[in-house]
Amino acid sequence: MSIINKNILLGVTGGIAAYKTPDLERKLTSQGANVRVVLTSSAKEFVSPLALQAVSGNPVSDDLLDRDAEAAMGHIELAKWADILLIAPATANFLAKLSHGLADDLLSTLCLATAAPIFVAPAMNQQMWHAAATQKNLVILQKRNIKLLGPASGEQACGDVGLGRMLEPQDIVALLNQGLPEPLLAGKTVMITAGPTREALDPVRYITNHSSGKMGYAIAQAAQNMGAKVILVSGPTHLMAPVNVTTIQVTSAAQMHQHVMEQVKHCDVFVACAAVADYRPMQSNSQKIKKNEQELTLTFIKNPDILSDVAHLPQPPFTLGFAAETQNVREYALSKLYAKKLNMIAANDVSDSSIGFNSENNALSVFWPQGEQILAMADKQQLALQLMQLVAEQLKS
Ligand code: C5P
């Protein structure tokens, strides 16, 4: 879908990110969209209606009960005019109103009165984003096919760091241009492993690694957005379970292996994104290890390779593995592709600390037997979508 010649109704609600909306409006119009803006009353505290009017040359609407505006283009007419309704920024309050079908101002009324697809670019404090009420509202909105654009993660106006920043205007326009992710995985079941594993040394200690689980969770959400039924088997992380995804929480590699092997037979695609511990202590002490000796020697034994076991099933699903490398990325990735009998491998160079483990961004070199593609640095959500598009293409061929 492209926004050229599309009528876009841009709804602006009252968050600090509203100051970016003249730029967003400019980017939409410069790509050929016809834009009309509707502001909520609190949005006017953050951005001037005059600035928004000047950019598109169209009058800005803000009042449901304005006789003059209704005479020019009534709210039902405006709702019918729109090909796309884009709400940016969408505050937590507005998302709550939208999820409950309130219609107490012009913008919320338009949301009920339009048949156009609705996109929301949330913007709020990270704690408000994670609040159970907000997350529940998001589930309701997504079930109603309202599309979420973002939010991004990073430093916030209030000084907090985390999820909740509005996507940058160019990213919103890019996502609108891509349109809704095509339902390329409709009818498919995708299983994903994510996060680290914890290997117990005794009842109070364990060994683990720095994996945050962000890439795996982003893949789960991308696959779900592309129409797949998704099962996420996750090690311990601090992340919220993705919406409309069956999430199974595990702790150790052995548990992850068991859950995967039990359910993967019914899956079309298996993505191994977890940083599974290669070894576990030979024996996990049932009592806390005492510091009686000057030296402590522990013996480790190898964990099962979950990905390899799945790929070696008699009728394996399409398998995608990850390779985190610090050098010779291509060579090591290709050898892993063939050694583990995979359909595809996504490699990243973890010697670059701006990407990979724990970071918001990543860059991947993807290899499969007949080809390869570099996915340039992007946030993990965008990258996950591109990666799953590659999977869908290969699955088809
Ligand atoms: O061999 P290596 O650990 O580098 O392979 C990485 C890939 O294998 C990743 O996709 C990872 O999720 C998967 N893996 C696994 N089970 C293990 C070790 C790695 O599924 N025990």
Side-chain angles (χ1 to χ4, degrees), residues 193-195 197 253 256-257 260 270-279 302-310 320-325 332 336 340 342 344-346:
T193 64
T197 64
M256 188 176 272
H257 183 258
V260 168
F270 177 67
V271 183
C273 199
V276 185
D278 290 323
Y279 293 91
K302 220 167 183 180
N303 270 327
D305 189 317
I306 304 170
L307 174 58
S308 179
D309 283 1
V310 171
L320 164 60
F322 274 75
E325 305 292 349
Y332 285 133
K336 220 167 274 183
K340 296 201 188 195
L342 308 179
M344 190 179 266
I345 193 149

Side-chain angles (χ1 to χ4, degrees), residues 187-391:
K188 304 287 182 207
T189 302
V190 177
M191 178 180 270
I192 297 145
T193 64
T197 64
R198 277 183 194 165
E199 310 301 321
L201 297 170
D202 67 19
V204 293
R205 303 182 181 97
Y206 55 80
I207 56 163
T208 188
N209 58 64
H210 289 296
S211 169
S212 64
K214 287 175 192 162
M215 191 68 220
Y217 277 55
I219 291 173
Q221 194 66 78
Q224 199 279 329
N225 289 343
M226 290 166 69
K229 175 172 179 277
V230 180
I231 304 167
L232 174 66
V233 185
S234 174
T237 73
H238 296 291
L239 305 173
M240 298 282 296
V243 277
N244 293 337
V245 164
T246 304
T247 305
I248 300 166
Q249 303 287 352
V250 298
T251 305
S252 65
Q255 287 170 355
M256 188 176 272
H257 183 258
Q258 185 205 329
H259 281 281
V260 168
M261 299 318 280
E262 268 169 24
Q263 297 195 37
V264 79
K265 292 180 193 80
H266 312 293
C267 295
D268 304 287
V269 177
F270 177 67
V271 183
C273 199
V276 185
D278 290 323
Y279 293 91
R280 67 177 182 277
M282 182 121 94
Q283 67 212 42
S284 169
N285 294 278
S286 58
Q287 303 298 328
K288 189 177 168 196
I289 302 169
K290 291 288 173 201
K291 54 173 183 291
N292 297 334
E293 310 296 333
Q294 280 310 315
E295 287 180 6
L296 174 68
T297 305
L298 294 167
T299 307
F300 288 84
I301 54 167
K302 220 167 183 180
N303 270 327
D305 189 317
I306 304 170
L307 174 58
S308 179
D309 283 1
V310 171
H312 284 84
L313 284 171
Q315 287 181 311
F318 183 98
T319 48
L320 164 60
F322 274 75
E325 305 292 349
T326 52
Q327 56 178 338
N328 304 334
V329 174
R330 187 170 198 281
E331 190 187 324
Y332 285 133
L334 283 173
S335 66
K336 220 167 274 183
L337 176 77
Y338 293 112
K340 296 201 188 195
K341 244 178 108 199
L342 308 179
N343 298 99
M344 190 179 266
I345 193 149
N348 57 342
D349 184 346
V350 286
S351 66
D352 179 347
S353 60
S354 66
I355 59 172
F357 270 169
N358 240 323
S359 120
E360 298 307 327
N361 295 325
N362 204 354
L364 294 170
S365 305
V366 188
F367 304 92
W368 58 97
Q370 303 79 20
E372 58 186 82
Q373 188 161 325
I374 289 178
L375 303 180
M377 182 147 95
D379 71 50
K380 288 180 175 174
Q381 281 71 26
Q382 287 193 43
L383 212 56
L385 206 53
Q386 292 170 23
L387 184 60
M388 292 317 285
Q389 279 164 354
L390 278 182
V391 168

Side-chain angles (χ1 to χ4, degrees), residues 2-158:
S2 150
I3 62 169
I4 297 173
N5 292 329
K6 289 278 187 307
N7 293 339
I8 300 182
L9 198 57
L10 173 60
V12 182
T13 70
I16 179 63
Y19 82 90
K20 295 182 180 174
T21 51
D23 183 28
L24 172 60
E25 192 187 9
R26 158 84 66 222
K27 289 192 162 66
L28 292 168
T29 52
S30 67
Q31 293 215 4
N34 311 310
V35 182
R36 283 177 177 271
V37 180
V38 174
L39 290 155
T40 62
S41 58
S42 50
K44 286 187 281 185
E45 303 291 329
F46 294 96
V47 62
S48 132
L50 198 58
L52 288 160
Q53 186 158 312
V55 174
S56 68
N58 286 327
V60 168
S61 316
D62 55 10
D63 193 353
L64 183 58
L65 307 173
D66 178 338
R67 260 189 289 140
D68 292 341
E70 281 293 302
M73 192 188 252
H75 65 278
I76 298 294
E77 218 177 320
L78 202 51
K80 286 188 177 151
W81 172 86
D83 295 316
I84 294 168
L85 181 43
L86 166 64
I87 300 161
T91 59
N93 178 60
F94 193 80
L95 295 177
K97 279 170 62 168
L98 189 57
S99 69
H100 289 88
L102 266 67
D104 61 353
D105 62 6
L106 180 59
L107 185 56
S108 53
T109 304
L110 287 170
C111 290
L112 287 188
T114 191
I118 302 177
F119 293 78
V120 292
M124 67 197 73
N125 162 271
Q126 54 87 22
Q127 194 70 43
M128 292 173 76
W129 170 257
H130 289 302
T134 305
Q135 291 298 317
K136 207 163 180 188
N137 291 333
L138 292 167
V139 172
I140 296 171
L141 293 177
Q142 286 184 305
K143 277 194 183 141
R144 249 186 252 146
N145 221 14
I146 289 173
K147 296 293 165 194
L148 279 187
L149 307 178
S153 192
E155 202 175 319
Q156 305 200 304
C158 55

